[in-house]
Amino acid sequence: MSTVKLTVNGKSVSATVEDRTLLVHLLRENLNLTGTHVGCDTSQCGACIVHIDGKAVKSCTTLVGQIDGANVTTIEGIAKGDQLHPMQAAFRDNHGLQCGYCTPGMIMSAIDIVNRHAGELDEETVRHELEGNICRCTGYHNIVKSVLDAAGRMKVAQAAE
């Protein structure tokens, strides 16, 4: 057993966990942050993506002990009160989801993609970057449309800050 300290969605968290505890399980079972989904348990689907120190990471293959002291952001931590994150709003407005199971991981991946590409994206780049996220309901068209729309919204939001 080890005690780890993290900042999760802006709040300090301390937990005593088995050394083999995966971040996805800490989030869902200990912290009741169930927006991070377990899809495949093999790092193939992307449903479990969160941000660790600002970078998209698959939480189903991340041991909690590896990230002691890190800053973790989950889907629950990206909105500002009642105001959706621009990526969430774009997914809503462009019908970028159907069943919603992959959506939290898609959104967290997409935010990272936009941040890494400084908002300069095209459809081909978005499709390539989202290869690590599986959606079984859509043809990805509206997901790509959502990411491209959000890139512009995020640029405007950053300029306003």
Side-chain angles (χ1 to χ4, degrees), residues 6-10 23 27 50-53 67 70-74:
L6 304 169
T7 301
V8 179
N9 297 332
L23 177 57
L27 295 171
V50 299
H51 292 177
I52 300 175
D53 295 330
I67 60 164
N71 184 2
V72 178
T73 305
T74 69

Side-chain angles (χ1 to χ4, degrees), residues 4-156:
V4 293
K5 294 180 182 186
L6 304 169
T7 301
V8 179
N9 297 332
K11 297 177 184 171
S12 294
V13 173
S14 179
T16 301
V17 295
E18 291 184 41
D19 293 336
R20 63 186 176 139
T21 301
L22 296 170
L23 177 57
V24 70
H25 296 300
L26 175 75
L27 295 171
R28 293 182 58 81
E29 297 165 15
N30 297 65
L31 303 178
N32 202 32
L33 295 171
T34 57
T36 302
H37 294 157
V38 178
C40 65
D41 272 333
T42 61
S43 189
Q44 301 297 312
C45 74
C48 68
I49 292 180
V50 299
H51 292 177
I52 300 175
D53 295 330
K55 295 183 179 175
V57 176
K58 292 182 178 179
S59 63
C60 74
T61 56
T62 302
L63 294 170
V64 176
Q66 292 175 297
I67 60 164
D68 189 24
N71 184 2
V72 178
T73 305
T74 69
I75 191 71
E76 292 92 345
I78 63 172
K80 292 182 180 169
D82 290 339
Q83 183 180 353
L84 294 176
H85 184 281
M87 189 65 71
Q88 291 172 303
F91 265 70
R92 177 198 60 206
D93 296 346
N94 292 286
H95 309 287
L97 60 119
Q98 284 187 10
C99 83
Y101 198 84
C102 72
T103 305
M106 284 283 186
I107 287 174
M108 298 305 286
S109 289
I111 292 169
D112 181 64
I113 292 165
V114 171
N115 288 339
R116 284 186 293 107
H117 289 274
E120 301 300 323
L121 289 170
D122 58 27
E123 181 178 341
E124 182 181 349
T125 302
V126 172
R127 287 185 181 278
H128 174 73
E129 291 275 347
L130 286 176
E131 285 181 358
N133 294 75
I134 295 174
C135 176
R136 295 171 194 245
C137 298
T138 72
Y140 292 88
H141 178 74
N142 286 345
I143 292 170
V144 173
K145 185 176 167 184
S146 299
V147 175
L148 293 172
D149 180 18
R153 293 180 191 208
M154 289 170 65
K155 195 182 273 189
V156 168

